[in-house]
Amino acid sequence: MAHLIINDRVKSLECQAQALLIRQENKPPLAIPLRRLDTLVLLHSVSLPSRLISTAYEMGIALVYINTHQLSRSFTIAPPGSAVYSCRLKQLQLTGNPASVGLIRFWLDIKFHRMLKTVESCIQRRPDARKVLFDCQRTIRQCQQQLTSQHTQDQLRGLEGKAQQQWFYAYRCLMPDSLGFKKRQRRPPPDPVNALLSLTYTRIYLLAWQAALCSGLDPALGFYHKAGKNRQALACDLMEPLRPLAEQFVLKLFSERIIRQRNFTPAGSGCLLKQEALMRFQDTFESEALVWKRLLWMYTQTIKNKLESAFYEQ
């Protein structure tokens, strides 16, 4: 059974004789037998005829529509017994379950590994900050080595918090004093570094949200982060291993002078990126986003494989 993702713009979708008929501009229609599908994912606006919806539902095919411009308007129709229904049911059963610790260790191990690679790169490029970077490296390694001996989510959060605190202390030393970065601070970000970190995290969070939807997972049901109003907990989980890449990305923006201090404007007690610099940010972000999308897709498949096998590290 296939998980079909329609990423191209199509003229129309039709249901004819239990086949999905895809019509595109200047191309012959493409017919796909519905019996071969378990999930149909749509990434662009297209009319869904009621016959297609009802036939797919009767055949146990899940329909996932993703509004890439406003993800909160996305929806999933998962008939009982469909692959998406089964996957989300198992996901719900694992949420808050101590058995989810294995997944959390998996994410944090990747995160610590990427943090160490970033620190090692900075040691080579910034000999003036080696002392604080070596201290940071030692702390992160200790936290990574202790992962297997921690058996609760709170213990793992403690390790992550310790490593992250040490990294941001070193991160401060890597930034010019003129940028005014003292510590990680949000809502509102008081300086250019915090502003770009928040912007980059938000963009990756949206990619993670979309990846969860695209794979058939429920983006609101997380294992490490708790659900909340306007917060997709699984998207937060998925982006956790990518945070070091986001922080490295912001370092690159400033070190290569793609973004400069003069590109920000005060906004109350915070600061905002000016429009012309925002365009440069978006172009640079998109050049990195393909790799991040692939990683996020891999993480969703890891979750689905663990849910399917019903094997979790205790």
Side-chain angles (χ1 to χ4, degrees):
M1 302 291 279
H3 187 107
L4 178 62
I5 301 174
I6 300 180
N7 193 28
D8 298 324
R9 293 189 180 277
V10 299
K11 184 177 179 181
S12 67
L13 296 176
E14 301 173 17
C15 180
Q16 293 186 6
Q18 293 196 334
L20 173 65
L21 193 64
I22 304 173
R23 297 188 184 277
Q24 295 177 278
E25 294 287 351
N26 304 318
K27 290 183 179 180
L30 175 64
I32 300 175
L34 285 171
R35 67 177 183 276
R36 295 182 180 177
L37 303 180
D38 60 39
T39 307
L40 175 60
V41 182
L42 306 172
L43 289 171
H44 290 287
S45 295
V46 63
S47 296
L48 285 175
S50 58
R51 183 180 177 186
L52 174 59
I53 296 173
S54 60
T55 302
Y57 193 90
E58 290 172 1
M59 297 180 68
I61 301 169
L63 292 176
V64 181
Y65 168 70
I66 300 176
N67 187 324
T68 55
H69 299 291
Q70 194 168 353
L71 287 171
S72 60
R73 293 188 174 182
S74 304
F75 65 84
T76 299
I77 302 175
S82 66
V84 170
Y85 181 93
S86 175
C87 180
R88 291 191 172 195
L89 181 60
K90 293 175 182 177
Q91 186 184 352
L92 177 62
Q93 292 169 341
L94 188 62
T95 302
N97 191 311
S100 64
V101 166
L103 271 175
I104 298 170
R105 284 201 195 104
F106 168 76
W107 285 318
L108 293 185
D109 187 55
I110 295 174
K111 179 177 181 177
F112 290 160
H113 176 73
R114 291 212 172 101
M115 290 172 77
L116 286 170
K117 288 190 69 174
T118 301
V119 171
E120 289 166 5
S121 174
C122 291
I123 288 173
Q124 299 299 319
R125 293 184 290 106
R126 292 291 302 272
D128 58 308
R130 282 188 176 182
K131 172 63 170 63
V132 68
L133 287 168
F134 278 130
D135 290 343
C136 177
Q137 185 183 56
R138 182 170 56 253
T139 299
I140 296 171
R141 280 178 176 165
Q142 290 172 351
C143 291
Q144 188 177 36
Q145 291 166 359
Q146 294 173 29
L147 278 176
T148 55
S149 63
Q150 308 303 305
H151 303 288
T152 69
Q153 292 189 14
D154 287 341
Q155 289 173 334
L156 291 170
R157 286 192 183 96
L159 283 182
E160 186 213 353
K162 181 179 179 181
Q164 194 71 55
Q165 183 181 32
Q166 189 69 33
W167 164 235
F168 272 130
Y169 178 77
Y171 201 71
R172 182 186 68 179
C173 299
L174 299 173
M175 292 294 179
D177 292 339
S178 59
L179 292 174
F181 179 70
K182 302 299 181 184
K183 62 179 181 178
R184 178 70 182 120
Q185 192 172 338
R186 304 172 295 169
R187 301 193 183 109
D191 56 77
V193 177
N194 272 298
L196 277 193
L197 284 171
S198 292
L199 180 58
T200 305
Y201 289 151
T202 299
R203 290 293 303 273
I204 295 178
Y205 168 79
L206 294 175
L207 292 180
W209 186 351
Q210 182 173 320
L213 285 169
C214 202
S215 67
L217 293 164
D218 188 334
L221 295 177
F223 307 108
Y224 186 44
H225 294 84
K226 295 181 180 179
K229 185 179 180 180
N230 299 323
R231 185 189 194 189
Q232 305 296 317
L234 184 63
C236 295
D237 287 356
L238 289 169
M239 71 171 287
E240 199 63 42
L242 297 188
R243 284 184 179 271
L245 298 182
E247 291 141 14
Q248 190 174 15
F249 175 71
V250 172
L251 271 175
K252 171 185 173 180
L253 291 175
F254 285 115
S255 64
E256 296 184 8
R257 300 180 180 272
I258 299 170
I259 304 293
R260 304 188 184 195
Q261 184 181 9
R262 65 170 180 261
N263 298 134
F264 294 84
T265 183
S269 57
C271 69
L272 295 174
L273 190 61
K274 294 179 181 178
Q275 187 62 36
E276 67 274 12
L278 180 60
M279 297 298 293
R280 291 200 302 276
F281 169 87
Q282 291 174 341
D283 290 342
T284 311
F285 183 90
E286 288 302 323
S287 69
E288 305 279 351
L290 183 59
V291 172
W292 296 340
K293 288 177 182 178
R294 288 174 178 168
L295 290 171
L296 288 167
W297 181 256
M298 287 171 53
Y299 300 155
T300 63
Q301 299 313 295
T302 297
I303 294 172
K304 291 179 71 174
N305 289 339
K306 287 184 178 292
L307 292 174
E308 186 64 30
S309 65
F311 174 78
Y312 306 104
E313 184 179 351
Q314 299 296 324

